[in-house]
Amino acid sequence: MTASFRLAVIGGDGIGPEVTRAALRVLDAAERRFGFSTAREELRWSSARYVDLAGRVTPEEIDGLRAFDAVLFGAIGDPRAPRGVVERDVILGMRRRLDLFVNLRPIVAYDDRLVPLKGKRAEDIDLVVVRENTEDVYGQTGWVTGAGKDEVAEVPMRFTRPGIERIVRYAFELARTRPDRHLTLVDKANAIPIQELWRRIFDEIGEEYGDIKRDAMYVDAACMWLVLKPEQFDTIVTTNLFGDILTDLGAALTGSLGLAPGANINPERRFPSMFEPIHGSAPDIAGKGIANPVGAVWAGAMMLDQLGEREAHDRVIAAIERVLGEGRVRTPDLGGNTTTAEMAAALRAALMS
């Protein structure tokens, strides 16, 4: 029987709808080649909805996503809306209400010419970051007290043992499938004493994985070594806040933030997972048709893997590697003048050839 999946599509704001359309065009080609299908429902969750209709995305609407097999997401953010309000409603709403506690972000370079580091080649940059996705300061509202010189802003940095244990165990299991079988914990336990809990749990669980090389690194040192010696990293596990920062740096090492995908996963499959490029809405280039869709296409490939369509996933990744490696098709962020639609067409052609 032909597999069929119900897909929620949220283009969002700015370049989000543009790159999502491109990803769906590549998905169309994958469906034809590999014989599965998707039934898609577009959800118009965006800052524009908030600005024009004063309508916020509610927890009940987020709960409605449980009827789908997966969510393909573009980007959220519009300068007309209050900073962070819609982002918290939609992105953090999905991550928390669907318990998408794994944020998986591969950092892989596919062309030496795109790597900005002196003396480094694409083969030196092949790692994955496992970011805890539901705790830390993210999503905490915090509070501001006082006024004038007495004004104080506070927000709790909160971690739980179950939250750390499940992400660390996921990371060890993932490291077992990676080339170097090497897992690095990134924290700041020397300056933030509560993060010693991460160290203790990492070592406790690590005793169960004697086949995995493990080490730990402070986040400032990790940033330095990602630039100086990225080849030493294979799998990284880290906090919500640090994971967000490290993966933007990692994306730059591969050539552009526009190349980077992310998967927000519930490994227990109790709820649908959400897949997105990690870039923002980029309102300065929205509507110009020049956004790089590779991150969104790659996110779509990660979605196929999660849905069990591994062969289709592999072919999409091979198409990305081929197009970037050939170097003829380059969107402006990669130094070329290819449009979003042209990049999508090139990826489709590579997939079908």
Side-chain angles (χ1 to χ4, degrees):
M1 177 178 285
T2 300
S4 181
F5 307 101
R6 191 174 179 207
L7 177 62
V9 179
I10 305 170
D13 296 313
I15 64 172
E18 301 171 45
V19 299
T20 301
R21 283 194 297 270
L24 290 174
R25 286 196 287 272
V26 176
L27 180 60
D28 289 339
E31 289 183 23
R32 287 198 299 274
R33 175 153 190 172
F34 296 101
F36 64 93
S37 65
T38 58
R40 307 166 188 174
E41 182 174 335
E42 183 176 357
L43 305 178
R44 298 186 180 278
W45 297 357
S46 66
S47 299
R49 165 178 148 169
Y50 177 85
V51 171
D52 297 338
L53 304 174
R56 298 181 66 167
V57 174
T58 66
E60 291 72 24
E61 287 177 293
I62 299 289
D63 290 343
L65 294 174
R66 298 177 186 186
F68 295 89
D69 295 300
V71 181
L72 186 63
F73 179 71
I76 284 286
D78 188 311
R80 297 176 300 162
R83 185 179 295 111
V85 170
V86 183
E87 292 90 334
R88 287 194 297 271
D89 286 350
V90 177
I91 300 176
L92 298 183
M94 284 190 281
R95 290 173 178 172
R96 291 195 166 189
R97 292 194 72 83
L98 301 179
D99 199 24
L100 307 178
F101 68 87
V102 174
N103 190 308
L104 195 63
R105 294 187 173 186
I107 298 170
V108 183
Y110 286 121
D111 185 2
D112 293 348
R113 292 165 294 183
L114 295 177
V115 176
L117 301 178
K118 181 179 179 180
K120 299 300 178 183
R121 304 181 61 185
E123 64 187 25
D124 296 319
I125 303 170
D126 184 353
L127 62 136
V128 62
V129 176
V130 180
R131 168 191 175 193
E132 199 290 317
N133 214 26
T134 59
E135 297 190 338
D136 206 348
V137 297
Y138 263 73
Q140 303 291 331
T141 303
W143 53 88
V144 178
T145 58
K149 64 181 180 61
D150 296 320
E151 196 168 19
V152 176
E154 297 180 70
V155 65
M157 177 177 279
R158 182 177 182 273
F159 306 107
T160 66
R161 173 170 278 273
I164 299 171
E165 284 180 344
R166 65 182 185 174
I167 196 68
V168 167
R169 191 172 296 280
Y170 180 94
F172 271 108
E173 291 290 337
L174 179 64
R176 267 188 173 155
T177 71
R178 297 277 302 162
D180 295 336
R181 300 169 76 89
H182 174 201
L183 180 61
T184 301
L185 168 66
V186 173
D187 63 23
K188 192 60 178 169
N190 59 336
I192 306 174
I194 63 167
Q195 291 193 3
E196 183 63 29
L197 183 60
W198 279 82
R199 289 284 175 119
R200 287 197 282 111
I201 293 172
F202 182 72
D203 287 338
E204 289 170 12
I205 294 178
E207 290 300 311
E208 303 174 26
Y209 293 86
D211 57 323
I212 305 298
K213 176 185 175 183
R214 72 179 193 268
D215 55 21
M217 191 176 294
Y218 299 135
V219 65
D220 45 347
C223 289
M224 177 187 72
W225 287 116
L226 276 169
V227 172
L228 294 179
K229 197 177 178 182
E231 64 271 21
Q232 74 176 296
F233 294 101
D234 180 54
T235 309
I236 291 173
V237 62
T238 190
T239 69
N240 204 337
L241 177 61
F242 294 160
D244 192 18
I245 297 167
L246 286 172
T247 50
D248 274 24
L249 171 59
L253 303 185
T254 70
S256 170
L257 191 62
L259 297 173
N264 302 263
I265 299 171
N266 179 275
E268 300 162 356
R269 300 178 184 268
R270 292 186 297 117
F271 307 116
S273 296
M274 183 268 279
F275 303 85
E276 59 177 333
I278 74 170
H279 59 67
S281 59
D284 57 320
I285 63 169
K288 297 181 180 180
I290 59 173
N292 189 340
V294 170
V297 172
W298 194 343
M302 296 177 78
M303 178 184 72
L304 291 174
D305 190 25
Q306 180 75 3
L307 293 174
E309 296 293 334
R310 181 68 190 185
E311 187 178 5
H313 161 274
D314 291 348
R315 289 295 302 181
V316 175
I317 297 300
I320 292 171
E321 183 175 9
R322 176 178 168 184
V323 169
L324 293 180
E326 289 174 347
R328 294 193 301 270
V329 180
R330 292 276 197 262
T331 43
D333 60 310
L334 302 178
N337 56 13
T338 298
T339 66
T340 307
E342 288 167 344
M343 176 64 88
L347 293 169
R348 280 167 52 97
L351 172 63
M352 297 300 289
S353 64

